[in-house]
Amino acid sequence: MNFRNTATIAVLSFLALQSCKKEVATTSISNNDSMKTDRMVTDSLTTVKPEIKSMDSAAEVQMFSALKNKKISLDKDAVTLTSVKEGSPEKAYLIFNDDQSKVEVFLPGEKKGIIYDRKGTEGNYTWTDGKNELIQWKGYVLRTLKQAIPLFNGDSM
């Protein structure tokens, strides 16, 4: 090889390495029952590390329920579902209206609940928002609608 080819390969290798170092994402679970997402964006001048925390089960969580039209305590007033991911401390909460035709689902990290409408016949009810669905099976299971991948599950009381 001549000097020109060697120099060209060196420059291209250097540029390829620089483009690979732009972003590194990691997710870790801390010991204090909250999930943190650490995202390190690195370039020559900046390091950004936003932190997102989920609802913490150690403290009483107060949220406004659009379904009940008042503030509620998720720990006392809601059905609690736990994440199906092994070792995950995340929880989802369910608030039903009086006739159970609607359910408000509070997901980790969200500031407000999502209202799901009931479908089906008695004994075979599901509640859905078009993206996820809640079914009754050994308590409740919250899963994705299209692939039916379980996200959370738990007993009814």
Side-chain angles (χ1 to χ4, degrees):
M1 273 210 246
N2 63 26
F3 177 75
R4 186 177 293 168
N5 289 341
T6 305
T8 303
I9 290 172
V11 169
L12 291 175
S13 297
F14 176 76
L15 292 175
L17 284 172
Q18 290 301 322
S19 68
C20 291
K21 289 178 13 180
K22 290 289 183 191
E23 188 172 306
V24 176
T26 61
T27 302
S28 63
I29 300 173
S30 71
N31 291 334
N32 65 355
D33 282 346
S34 67
M35 181 164 182
K36 297 177 182 178
T37 302
D38 298 336
R39 185 172 179 207
M40 299 293 288
V41 180
T42 308
D43 59 23
S44 61
L45 300 175
T46 314
T47 299
V48 180
K49 187 177 179 181
E51 187 173 299
I52 302 167
K53 290 187 178 181
S54 67
M55 292 181 267
D56 187 356
S57 62
E60 183 175 311
V61 179
Q62 293 277 323
M63 297 288 282
F64 180 79
S65 169
L67 200 58
K68 297 288 186 179
N69 199 27
K70 64 180 182 178
K71 263 195 167 180
I72 58 163
S73 168
L74 293 179
D75 296 320
K76 295 177 184 173
D77 301 326
V79 175
T80 303
L81 304 180
T82 55
S83 175
V84 299
K85 290 182 185 175
E86 190 173 325
S88 175
E90 290 188 315
K91 295 182 180 177
Y93 298 92
L94 309 175
I95 297 289
F96 288 93
N97 66 348
D98 292 334
D99 66 358
Q100 293 194 340
S101 63
K102 295 183 184 288
V103 64
E104 190 168 8
V105 178
F106 293 89
L107 296 171
E110 296 296 323
K111 296 190 186 301
K112 63 181 187 172
I114 303 164
I115 296 179
Y116 291 34
D117 294 314
R118 184 176 68 195
K119 307 220 182 296
T121 58
E122 189 172 348
N124 197 26
Y125 289 134
T126 63
W127 295 262
T128 185
D129 70 342
K131 180 180 174 188
N132 295 321
E133 72 178 342
L134 179 70
I135 62 169
Q136 287 181 297
W137 185 73
K138 295 183 180 182
Y140 293 101
V141 176
L142 182 63
R143 64 185 189 180
T144 60
L145 184 61
K146 292 185 180 183
Q147 296 88 11
I149 299 169
L151 306 169
F152 295 91
N153 63 15
D155 293 329
S156 57
M157 284 295 167

